[in-house]
Amino acid sequence: MQWDVSVGQATLLTLLIGVSVGTLATLLALVVSLGTFWFRIAGWHLAVGLVSSFLLVPVYVQATAWSAGFGSNGWLRLSQVDAAKWPWMGVASVVWIHACAALPYCFWIVSLGLRRIHDARVDQALVEFGPWFSLRRQILPRLGTWLLGAFLWAFASVQYDMVVTNLFQTPTLCESVYQQVQFGKLRSVPILIAWGISMVCGLALALSVFLSMPHEASQGGRSTADPSGSERLEASIAGPWHVWLTLTIWGVLAVCCMVPWMNLISRMGWSSLVVEGRGVRSWSLNESIDSIGHVADFREEFGWSLQLSLWATGLSLFLTAVMIQWSSNRYRSAWMFGIIGCMLATPGPLINLTVGQLLNRWLPGSWSFLSDRTLLGPILALQFRVLPVVFGLIWVTRQAYLKRYGELLALEAGLPHRMRVYSSMRFCQWGWILAFWIGFSIAFGDLASYLLVQPPGVTTVAMRMFDLLHYGTKNREAGLAVVLAFFGTLSSLAWLRFPRSRPNANRS
């Protein structure tokens, strides 16, 4: 039990793991981003697709993949049991899994920063002094805000999620608060410290994102949606350096992005038999197919996850439609970004505690059925994860609309409000579709925010996977994880193609 761990130890581990994850993920993202969008390594298109394919893959699926490869029967002898015996091995496991999960997000944050800072000064330095000089004197110094944003995103991902720390029994603040809420052993000091760290991180992340995003008054006409677009950031380097850089980046991607797939596929086909009193392990394609077939055993869990994700995403879209009208100027937008930044960084156990208190103590007793017989609790809890992302996407789309049609909107100020709203919705329709898509994926893959407020009899896919992981990754769990990773990858790659297809859709 970790609920009674000392506050000092939990705080130290929280900061140690958060800083380590943020630093590792940001450095890897910087190297991969520079190699793909600046130096254009061999196969850079494929590299971008590979690192982006994990954007919408749930963290518990990635934890399953690493546990499958490095568990008790994996390539390396590192499992939850080993982590309990050697705590520092558990810390290293948590850092590595979270860093790999945060890498795609950090990669795109840094890549968008590369595009935003690319201007005439960079081109002049590139022409006159070469790529290394422009990289040291122009790119890296001006990329600081974006690197900070990537670091804070990775740091926040550790603060609000307790799935990985729970698997490897690492007593961070989030894990300690989770067990306090679970067993009713609440302690005010760790709760306040966890809340304070998350709020500072959330506000800092919101500030860095808000200052780096394009606004209506910003220089118009330049899209930040696709760093691989028409404006090339390419810098030529000598052949040997280019080869070494290509090998290095592909080595990083192979370890961080290919190995998890290999782990799952490998574990999915293994079977163990007892022959003459001795265990014999073998891998077969038939066993892999059978493991995929067992996904049908989780029909009920998929049904609950689908229903919960649809309701949660629908509520987020409704709240965003209201909030986007209120945040009509820069100051209101700043306040709104501060609020959603704090929501995004709030630890999952604190969300469970707040929603549980709301439904069980603050509402009248006659309304207790809302907690026990409806999905209201998980739906409200998921707003802390889905609403910030949905609002951010719609806000960016609206800013693009205002910059593109600002003068025309000024002339149409006298038109009825419903006509102006219809015009805005028509332009932003693909943004709303994208927001629904990504919001649904986040709701489907999240677990920490609603784990303790699920009504009786409701078990989602995330919850079932979380339970099964505590007993090690076996064939059936690996098959389910492969299916979930496959659909997450499809969604991620479709999102990657979305910005390029949007203009054509608008013209039609």
Side-chain angles (χ1 to χ4, degrees):
M1 297 298 178
Q2 308 291 347
W3 65 268
D4 59 345
V5 69
S6 68
V7 176
Q9 179 185 357
T11 304
L12 180 62
L13 279 176
T14 297
L15 296 176
L16 174 64
I17 293 175
V19 171
S20 300
V21 170
T23 303
L24 179 59
T26 303
L27 289 177
L28 292 176
L30 176 62
V31 172
V32 177
S33 181
L34 288 174
T36 52
F37 291 133
W38 179 253
F39 293 109
R40 297 299 170 91
I41 62 170
W44 68 272
H45 280 101
L46 182 59
V48 171
L50 181 60
V51 71
S52 302
S53 65
F54 280 84
L55 275 169
L56 299 178
V57 176
V59 66
Y60 63 83
V61 173
Q62 301 193 45
T64 303
W66 290 108
S67 179
F70 303 106
S72 58
N73 291 317
W75 300 345
L76 295 177
R77 302 300 183 187
L78 177 60
S79 66
Q80 292 93 313
V81 177
D82 297 325
K85 297 178 181 177
W86 297 286
W88 286 110
M89 296 295 286
V91 171
S93 303
V94 171
V95 169
W96 177 252
I97 292 173
H98 270 294
C100 291
L103 176 59
Y105 296 95
C106 296
F107 166 79
W108 277 105
I109 292 173
V110 176
S111 299
L112 291 174
L114 281 176
R115 180 174 176 82
R116 288 297 302 277
I117 66 176
H118 185 76
D119 55 16
R121 289 178 294 176
V122 175
D123 290 333
Q124 184 177 1
L126 187 62
V127 171
E128 295 182 359
F129 301 103
W132 297 113
F133 178 88
S134 59
L135 182 63
R136 293 194 309 271
R137 300 298 180 88
Q138 291 292 333
I139 297 296
L140 293 180
R142 297 165 60 190
L143 203 59
T145 302
W146 296 87
L147 293 175
L148 177 62
F151 174 87
L152 290 172
W153 181 280
F155 187 90
S157 68
V158 178
Q159 306 309 309
Y160 66 65
D161 189 86
M162 33 56 59
V163 172
V164 182
T165 55
N166 186 268
L167 289 175
F168 290 94
Q169 304 179 37
T170 305
T172 61
L173 283 171
C174 188
E175 173 63 20
S176 176
V177 174
Y178 163 69
Q179 296 203 16
Q180 291 175 42
V181 176
Q182 183 181 22
F183 298 109
K185 305 287 188 178
L186 299 181
R187 300 164 59 201
S188 58
V189 175
I191 290 177
L192 290 175
I193 294 177
W195 183 83
I197 293 176
S198 65
M199 292 304 100
V200 171
C201 179
L203 288 173
L205 176 61
L207 180 62
S208 64
V209 172
F210 181 76
L211 294 178
S212 61
M213 276 188 171
H215 296 270
E216 185 179 359
S218 305
Q219 53 183 0
R222 192 171 185 178
S223 171
T224 60
D226 184 14
S228 60
S230 58
E231 293 188 21
R232 296 298 181 182
L233 309 179
E234 187 172 359
S236 300
I237 55 176
W241 286 103
H242 191 270
V243 172
W244 279 110
L245 184 62
T246 299
L247 294 177
T248 299
I249 293 177
W250 274 108
V252 169
L253 295 180
V255 173
C256 296
C257 302
M258 294 182 184
V259 168
W261 280 103
M262 297 169 61
N263 292 343
L264 289 176
I265 295 173
S266 172
R267 178 57 60 90
M268 192 170 58
W270 283 108
S271 61
S272 299
L273 299 174
V274 178
V275 179
E276 297 180 355
R278 185 170 58 91
V280 178
R281 300 178 69 227
S282 60
W283 191 94
S284 67
L285 181 60
N286 290 334
E287 189 70 29
S288 299
I289 296 174
D290 290 341
S291 299
I292 295 293
H294 278 295
V295 173
D297 299 339
F298 300 92
R299 286 189 299 268
E300 184 176 352
E301 287 82 357
F302 273 105
W304 284 117
S305 294
L306 179 63
Q307 185 179 167
L308 176 59
S309 301
L310 287 173
W311 280 108
T313 309
L315 179 58
S316 294
L317 290 173
F318 172 77
L319 294 176
T320 296
V322 176
M323 294 162 57
I324 209 73
Q325 298 298 324
W326 185 82
S327 58
S328 56
N329 57 57
R330 187 177 178 88
Y331 299 102
R332 289 182 177 180
S333 296
W335 276 101
M336 197 63 68
F337 267 81
I339 293 173
I340 66 174
C342 291
M343 291 178 63
L344 186 64
T346 301
L350 293 183
I351 299 174
N352 286 268
L353 178 62
T354 303
V355 174
Q357 293 287 330
L358 170 65
L359 296 180
N360 298 321
R361 296 192 178 183
W362 299 343
L363 294 180
S366 59
W367 291 13
S368 60
F369 71 94
L370 293 176
S371 173
D372 299 333
R373 302 180 186 177
T374 71
L375 292 175
L376 181 62
I379 291 171
L380 293 178
L382 279 172
Q383 299 311 304
F384 284 80
R385 299 290 176 257
V386 181
L387 182 58
V389 177
V390 170
F391 177 83
L393 292 170
I394 298 301
W395 189 85
V396 171
T397 305
R398 180 177 172 80
Q399 292 301 312
Y401 169 70
L402 294 176
K403 286 196 296 183
R404 183 170 181 177
Y405 297 108
E407 297 180 358
L408 182 61
L409 291 175
L411 296 176
E412 296 179 350
L415 292 176
H417 178 70
R418 65 178 182 277
M419 295 186 65
R420 288 183 279 121
V421 171
Y422 172 76
S423 175
S424 173
M425 291 292 293
R426 185 176 181 182
F427 175 84
C428 302
Q429 59 182 327
W430 290 104
W432 286 92
I433 294 174
L434 177 64
F436 172 81
W437 188 349
I438 294 180
F440 177 87
S441 300
I442 292 174
F444 196 94
D446 187 69
L447 174 63
S449 61
Y450 68 88
L451 179 61
L452 300 179
V453 292
Q454 293 183 104
V458 174
T459 303
T460 61
V461 173
M463 182 62 196
R464 178 54 61 88
M465 284 290 293
F466 182 63
D467 288 340
L468 293 174
L469 275 176
H470 286 84
Y471 302 98
T473 304
K474 302 179 179 63
N475 302 56
R476 192 174 68 158
E477 293 82 55
L480 177 59
V482 166
V483 172
L484 294 173
F486 177 75
F487 284 108
T489 298
L490 287 183
S491 298
S492 302
L493 295 179
W495 170 85
L496 181 62
R497 298 296 303 177
F498 182 86
R500 300 180 184 180
S501 61
R502 186 176 57 189
N504 295 331
N506 287 337
R507 284 193 296 267
S508 61

